[in-house]
């Protein structure tokens, strides 16, 4: 569990992907939609085509909203209507509408981790669960969830 935003960006990102930062949110922004990706890179992890940020819950939700103009929970509710595949690095995925001739790449992802609930069934009984919501360049939104890799 996270107790603050200490640690460098790479460490926070790795811990989030392992399900260890359940008080934080993680989001990815593709460079096409970010005015100054290099400035954000100082706060997050630069990828080949964007930046990933892991931030404390409220602060992260507010930053996601400023960057995308979308309330993160409204976005999640909208995206959960369509199941898709989001890579565990939270920077790419497979749009369920791929193959229609449109350009398909992940514009942004919003994610949070939910702590292990052994008393529940399914994924939650197996370990910490990552909930991820993606927006594709084609306009499709979709969601995915998986048990965090504890390695």
């Amino acid at each position: 569990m996270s107790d603050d935003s200490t640690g460098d960006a790479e460490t926070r990102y790795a811990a989030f992907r392992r399900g260890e930062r359940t008080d934080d949110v993680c989001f990815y922004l593709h460079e096409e939609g970010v005015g100054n990706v290099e400035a954000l890179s100082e706060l997050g992890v630069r990828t080949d085509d964007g930046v990933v940020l892991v931030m404390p819950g409220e602060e992260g939700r507010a930053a996601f909203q400023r960057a995308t103009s979308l309330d993160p929970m409204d976005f999640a509710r909208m995206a959960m209507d369509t199941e898709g595949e989001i890579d565990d690095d939270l920077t790419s995925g497979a749009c369920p509408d791929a193959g229609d001739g449109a350009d398909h790449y992940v514009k942004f992802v919003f994610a949070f981790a939910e702590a292990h609930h052994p008393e529940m069934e399914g994924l939650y009984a197996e370990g910490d669960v990552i909930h991820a919501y993606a927006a594709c360049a084609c306009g499709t939104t979709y969601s995915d969830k998986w048990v965090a890799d504890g390695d």
Side-chain angles (χ1 to χ4, degrees):
M1 276 236 198
S2 69
D3 54 0
D4 59 29
S5 59
T6 60
D8 71 8
E10 291 278 351
T11 301
R12 290 191 309 270
Y13 178 44
F16 180 88
R17 292 176 55 206
R18 289 190 304 267
E20 297 172 3
R21 297 186 70 93
T22 57
D23 292 335
D24 293 350
V25 297
C26 177
F27 60 97
Y28 162 76
L29 302 168
H30 191 278
E31 63 190 1
E32 294 286 321
V34 177
N36 186 352
V37 74
E38 294 308 321
L40 285 176
S41 296
E42 295 174 12
L43 302 172
V45 177
R46 181 72 161 104
T47 67
D48 289 341
D49 54 11
V51 64
V52 176
L53 296 107
V54 176
M55 303 174 79
E58 284 302 316
E59 180 183 343
R61 285 187 286 277
F64 176 85
Q65 187 164 351
R66 283 191 305 273
T68 65
S69 298
L70 294 170
D71 175 275
M73 299 321 288
D74 289 344
F75 171 62
R77 280 188 285 279
M78 180 175 56
M80 72 175 45
D81 289 339
T82 305
E83 288 186 28
E85 293 179 25
I86 300 172
D87 295 342
D88 69 355
D89 69 0
L90 301 165
T91 67
S92 57
C95 177
D97 291 336
D100 65 2
D103 194 11
H104 295 277
Y105 64 89
V106 171
K107 285 177 37 176
F108 54 85
V109 171
F110 177 79
F112 63 89
E114 188 169 346
H116 179 212
H117 294 287
E119 71 283 0
M120 294 178 73
E121 295 182 10
L123 291 178
Y124 302 99
E126 296 175 32
D128 301 322
V129 175
I130 303 292
H131 294 260
Y133 308 92
C136 181
C138 76
T140 297
T141 60
Y142 56 99
S143 65
D144 197 0
K145 61 184 172 187
W146 58 90
V147 175
D149 183 4
D151 294 336

